[in-house]
Amino acid sequence: MLAVLPAQADQPIRILAFGDSLTSGYGLPDQDSFPSQLERALTATGESVKLINGGVAGDTSAGGLARLDWSLADKPDLVILELGSNDGLRGLDPAATHKNLAQMLTRLAQDRIPTLLVGMKAPRNLGTDYVSAFDAIYEDLAREFHVPLDPFYLEGVAGDPALNQSDGIHPNAAGVAVIVKRMAPEIIALIKARKDTGSG
């Protein structure tokens, strides 16, 4: 028993990747999913982390809000909040999406869980008014809740056939790798900030 005590004293930082199919790894083997690739990338930098895959395919912001409390039972130290793409695909009211995400950020703030908000963009065929209202959601929330923002989850991946599955929507393993490479430094910054405040 004594041999395992040092490892127990340094528990890995638990990171909840909370989102939809883009987070869960739709169409991919588990090892190629966003949480799995991000865990390997962070571990390679020397961070001790455990990624929790909280992605549910097809989830809207309302669906995420409904299951957030249940997901927080895993006691994450950090959260990556990636929701809204299905709201946009369905043309749901941006005001409702904003409200749902705001309620989630309020809940996470109450528990003092550092959070990276991940932005989405509306399908461009929904018209300029809808696109403008939807795309503004994430910057507005980042300012309101003082959380870091990754402006667009699919930056550098969307529209590139080489980085997407045959549906043209979900990244393939190479596409996920592009996202992870961009996002890993953002997560490392959150981990560092958490350590600097003495909570980790």
Side-chain angles (χ1 to χ4, degrees):
M1 291 296 293
L2 291 176
V4 301
L5 287 177
Q8 290 176 342
D10 183 23
Q11 294 294 328
I13 294 173
R14 296 169 63 81
I15 302 173
L16 172 63
F18 191 72
D20 49 37
S21 58
L22 297 174
T23 288
S24 69
Y26 175 87
L28 297 173
D30 180 66
Q31 67 267 23
D32 290 335
S33 70
F34 171 74
S36 294
Q37 289 203 43
L38 181 59
E39 181 174 295
R40 292 196 298 273
L42 295 174
T43 300
T45 70
E47 298 292 347
S48 177
V49 298
K50 172 64 178 176
L51 266 288
I52 303 165
N53 191 336
V56 173
D59 222 0
T60 61
S61 61
L65 177 60
R67 65 183 175 89
L68 180 61
D69 282 346
W70 175 81
S71 298
L72 293 180
D74 284 326
K75 302 294 184 183
D77 300 300
L78 301 174
V79 168
I80 302 167
L81 179 57
E82 176 274 307
L83 279 167
S85 63
N86 288 308
D87 299 49
L89 286 172
R90 299 178 190 183
L92 301 181
D93 182 0
T97 303
H98 184 287
K99 181 179 179 181
N100 292 331
L101 289 168
Q103 287 183 258
M104 284 184 266
L105 289 168
T106 297
R107 176 73 171 83
L108 293 166
Q110 287 171 347
D111 283 5
R112 298 184 179 180
I113 302 174
T115 300
L116 174 67
L117 178 63
V118 180
M120 291 296 163
K121 292 185 177 179
R124 272 28 204 169
N125 63 352
L126 293 179
T128 55
D129 288 347
Y130 186 91
V131 167
S132 296
F134 187 93
D135 289 3
I137 290 171
Y138 299 91
E139 287 189 4
D140 289 348
L141 287 170
R143 283 194 298 267
E144 181 181 350
F145 287 91
H146 307 287
V147 295
L149 172 68
D150 182 273
F152 181 38
Y153 184 84
L154 295 173
E155 184 67 41
V157 175
D160 187 340
L163 298 177
N164 285 277
Q165 299 178 46
S166 58
D167 62 10
I169 297 174
H170 296 93
N172 58 24
V176 173
V178 170
I179 295 165
V180 165
K181 183 177 181 180
R182 183 192 73 243
M183 204 175 292
E186 300 169 348
I187 303 301
I188 290 171
L190 267 182
I191 292 171
K192 183 178 185 301
R194 180 178 178 275
K195 290 177 178 177
D196 289 346
T197 61
S199 57

